[in-house]
Amino acid sequence: MRKHNQYSEYSNWQVSALVILRVLIGWHFLYEGVVKVLNPHWSAAGFLNASQGPFANLFKGMASNSGVLEVINFCNQWGLVLIGLSLIVGLLSRWASIGGMVLLFLYYISNPPFIGIEASAVAEGSYLIVNKNLIELFSLLVLYLFPTGNIIGLNRLFASRK
């Protein structure tokens, strides 16, 4: 009797596309994190101080408190690295997707691409409502809803032991 696999209804192309999306987003997060970790002068202060929109005062307040800023720097750097690694290897990738969505949501609301808000110096391109952070956030939602770590990833090793 053939064991039913919850992913058996997906074609190889569908699974491959989802895994490639997972690895690409993982690489993006990992690289962004490693660059920040390796740069001893990196700080989120510039990004936070450039915040605009309805939550600008909150983010600027975070940047002005050295203790809070130190925690933000650490969480941002290592959060990016761990989320990236998790997505690349397919281990705890649903949790990594949630963590990535939280980070991207915070990036999005710190500088939302709304009418009446000038693009900050850290923005690239011209956006209205939809920007790369929002697109990547919803791509992570797709990966959360269609996890592939149990098919191609380290989650498969742990799932098979059950």
Side-chain angles (χ1 to χ4, degrees):
M1 182 174 189
R2 185 176 164 210
K3 184 178 175 184
H4 177 69
N5 179 341
Q6 68 180 3
Y7 303 105
S8 61
E9 67 270 8
Y10 299 151
S11 72
N12 287 340
W13 286 106
Q14 290 169 317
V15 171
S16 296
L18 288 168
V19 170
I20 290 168
L21 179 64
R22 188 189 80 211
V23 171
L24 290 174
I25 293 174
W27 172 255
H28 180 226
F29 272 73
L30 177 62
Y31 184 75
E32 287 287 337
V34 167
V35 166
K36 289 167 177 52
V37 168
L38 294 178
N39 180 351
H41 304 293
W42 180 85
S43 173
F47 182 82
L48 295 170
N49 282 320
S51 295
Q52 299 185 48
F55 301 102
N57 289 336
L58 172 69
F59 290 109
K60 289 176 182 182
M62 291 175 180
S64 69
N65 182 319
S66 62
V68 170
L69 182 60
E70 192 174 322
V71 170
I72 289 170
N73 288 340
F74 180 84
C75 290
N76 196 38
Q77 292 169 314
W78 290 103
L80 288 166
V81 168
L82 294 174
I83 290 165
L85 285 173
S86 177
L87 290 170
I88 289 170
V89 301
L91 179 64
L92 302 172
S93 53
R94 290 188 96 185
W95 286 106
S97 294
I98 291 170
M101 286 187 286
V102 168
L103 277 179
L104 290 165
F105 178 74
L106 292 170
Y107 300 159
Y108 182 82
I109 65 169
S110 70
N111 267 298
F114 299 152
I115 293 175
I117 297 177
E118 293 288 324
S120 71
V122 294
E124 57 188 47
S126 300
Y127 302 104
L128 178 61
I129 301 170
V130 177
N131 65 11
K132 64 182 181 173
N133 291 325
L134 192 61
I135 293 168
E136 197 166 33
L137 187 156
F138 277 90
S139 297
L140 283 172
L141 179 61
V142 169
L143 294 175
Y144 176 82
L145 295 173
F146 300 95
T148 57
N150 291 343
I151 306 168
I152 300 175
L154 293 181
N155 278 351
R156 184 176 186 175
L157 298 176
F158 298 105
S160 64
R161 291 184 178 182
K162 292 181 181 176

